[in-house]
């Protein structure tokens, strides 16, 4: 057999060809797989770095104009190091800042060693994060009207709400450059609100209204709560809807005059967190506008879910705290340059007020009353944000918001923190972006 024949047979033989082909292909395949793993790790770390840089920007944007650059830099670095831990073996990144007029730029980067990607010659990857933050400083007043009904105890809603509001308050404290820049009121609600019993003889209260809603009367009798009107001596702080005839006082922001039906209706509290009447067991009292955000935080952390839903009560009382007159808005500014906001959150539909509703099913008459109140709120110089959590999502709540960017439908309670941070940006004028 000639040499030529041997060569021809060798070239034609396909036996065992898979081994050298696999050997050739496996190297780039492993390289791509390792690169994907390292890329995923770098992407996760970049998200952590970006969050830390964003938080750092928020922590220093409140510094007064003219603050020396080295003070801005050191303040940013110190805060960044307090919240960010780099991966094992990676040095702490150095934060870079530049601050001009109302714009702050914050950036940081770090170099991560790769894992098995090094076999294809990639020994490290550098990631970076940057925030450009704009601060349009102005005085703001924010009313937080928050659903405290029984269903808020489900699916982690009340816990997530407390976390979100606490973070909002922390960032508002950073935003405030001078005393009075930020005021916040708190209005927990179910079918009523609780204003406390400090002023039982105030001329804005009336004690001549008992419970007329038949379903509510039956419930109150079953749990031993009086269906009659309280007296100043035994009143426990709760308010029910004002009159709905003629002027519909609870759907507008009219001041309280000497006319009886303009006054707020003092009522026994309908729902108790312990299931029976006892001091301190009803819904958390409201807080009127204050610069003491720690007092607001204390109220938020004390919230306990109980009762049925009357969103209108939260809305009108929140609006009352933002009016610069008696009885609840005396701390509110009449300065036209002060920006005013109302954040209205609920996880359910209107089911009951002083007049109608059984406390479990949606009631159109209560909805109609809320629509009137929403229309009044939007007609004033107050921006209304609405948040519908799970079953609270509705066209009613969407239409109550000042505009489409002010309505937030939430499908999971864990989203509340992000929603409140979006609201923070719209309220303060601070914009944080990479």
């Amino acid at each position: 057999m000639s040499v030529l024949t041997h060569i021809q047979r060798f070239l034609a033989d396909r036996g065992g060809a898979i081994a050298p082909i696999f050997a050739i292909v496996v190297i780039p395949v492993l390289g791509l797989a390792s690169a994907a793993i390292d890329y995923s790790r770098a992407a996760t770390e970049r998200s952590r770095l970006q969050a830390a840089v964003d938080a750092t920007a928020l922590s220093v944007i409140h510094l007064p104009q003219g603050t020396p650059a080295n003070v801005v830099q050191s303040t940013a670095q110190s805060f960044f190091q307090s919240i960010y831990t780099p991966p094992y073996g990676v040095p702490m990144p150095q934060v870079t800042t530049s601050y001009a007029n109302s714009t702050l730029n914050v950036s940081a980067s770090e170099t991560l060693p790769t894992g098995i990607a090094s076999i294809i010659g990639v020994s490290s990857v550098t990631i970076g994060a940057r925030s450009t933050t704009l601060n349009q400083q102005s005085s703001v007043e924010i009313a937080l009207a928050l659903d405290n009904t029984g269903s808020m105890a489900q699916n982690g809603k009340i816990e997530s709400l407390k976390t979100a509001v606490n973070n909002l308050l922390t960032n508002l404290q950073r935003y405030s450059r001078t005393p009075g820049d930020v005021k916040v009121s708190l209005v927990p609600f179910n079918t009523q609100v609780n204003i406390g019993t400090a002023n039982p003889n105030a001329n804005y209260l009336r004690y001549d209204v008992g419970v007329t809603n038949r379903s509510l009367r039956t419930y109150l009798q079953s749990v031993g709560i009086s269906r009659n009107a309280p007296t100043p001596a035994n009143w426990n702080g709760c308010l029910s809807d004002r009159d709905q005839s003629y002027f519909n006082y609870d759907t507008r922001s009219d001041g309280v005059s000497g006319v009886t039906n303009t006054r707020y209706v003092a009522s026994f509290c309908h729902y108790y967190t312990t299931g029976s009447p006892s001091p301190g067991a009803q819904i958390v009292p409201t807080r009127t506008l204050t610069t003491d955000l720690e007092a607001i935080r204390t109220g938020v952390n004390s919230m306990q879910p109980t009762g049925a839903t009357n969103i209108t009560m939260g809305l009108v009382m929140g609006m009352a705290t933002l009016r610069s007159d008696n009885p609840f808005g005396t701390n509110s500014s009449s300065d036209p340059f002060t920006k005013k906001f109302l954040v209205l959150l609920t996880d359910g539909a209107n089911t009951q007020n002083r007049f109608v509703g059984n406390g479990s099913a949606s009631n159109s008459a209560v909805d109609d009353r809320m629509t009137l109140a929403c229309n009044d709120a939007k007609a004033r110089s107050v921006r209304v944000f609405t948040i519908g959590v799970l079953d609270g999502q509705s066209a009613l709540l969407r239409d109550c918001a000042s505009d489409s960017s002010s309505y937030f439908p939430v499908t999971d309670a864990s989203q509340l923190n992000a929603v409140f941070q979006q609201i923070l940006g719209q309220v303060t004028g601070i914009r944080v972006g990479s």
Side-chain angles (χ1 to χ4, degrees), residues 170-233:
T170 296
N171 284 323
L172 286 172
Q173 288 171 323
R174 294 172 183 157
Y175 168 80
S176 181
R177 295 184 184 179
T178 58
D181 277 350
V182 177
K183 295 178 183 177
V184 179
S185 62
L186 175 65
V187 182
F189 68 90
N190 46 36
T191 58
Q192 301 172 302
V193 295
N194 177 9
I195 64 169
T197 57
N199 299 294
N201 295 304
N203 62 6
Y204 55 79
L205 295 172
R206 57 185 294 193
Y207 291 90
D208 62 335
V209 179
V211 176
T212 56
N213 180 328
R214 291 186 178 182
S215 294
L216 184 55
R217 285 177 64 86
T218 300
Y219 166 77
L220 294 178
Q221 183 178 26
S222 71
V223 295
I225 299 174
S226 175
R227 299 169 294 176
N228 300 319
T231 67

Side-chain angles (χ1 to χ4, degrees), residues 12-32:
D13 191 350
R14 295 296 184 265
I18 190 65
I21 294 173
F22 178 79
I24 294 170
V25 171
V26 72
I27 295 176
V29 168
L30 286 175
L32 290 173

Side-chain angles (χ1 to χ4, degrees), residues 51-64:
V53 168
D54 286 346
T56 300
L58 283 173
S59 76
V60 297
I61 189 63
H62 72 288
L63 293 174

Side-chain angles (χ1 to χ4, degrees), residues 296-338:
I296 300 296
R297 192 188 304 276
T298 298
V300 169
N301 291 335
S302 300
M303 295 189 309
Q304 296 186 63
T306 181
T309 307
N310 180 8
I311 305 169
T312 311
M313 283 300 296
L315 172 61
V316 297
M317 186 57 66
M319 286 294 296
T321 67
L322 296 174
R323 293 177 52 242
S324 53
D325 59 11
N326 288 321
F328 304 112
T330 53
N331 293 331
S332 182
S333 174
S334 58
D335 179 358
F337 295 103
T338 296

Side-chain angles (χ1 to χ4, degrees), residues 404-423:
S404 59
S405 67
S406 302
Y407 171 56
F408 299 90
V410 172
T411 57
D412 188 282
S414 63
Q415 299 167 352
L416 285 176
N417 189 60
V419 166
F420 274 85
Q421 292 309 303
Q422 290 181 59
I423 291 174

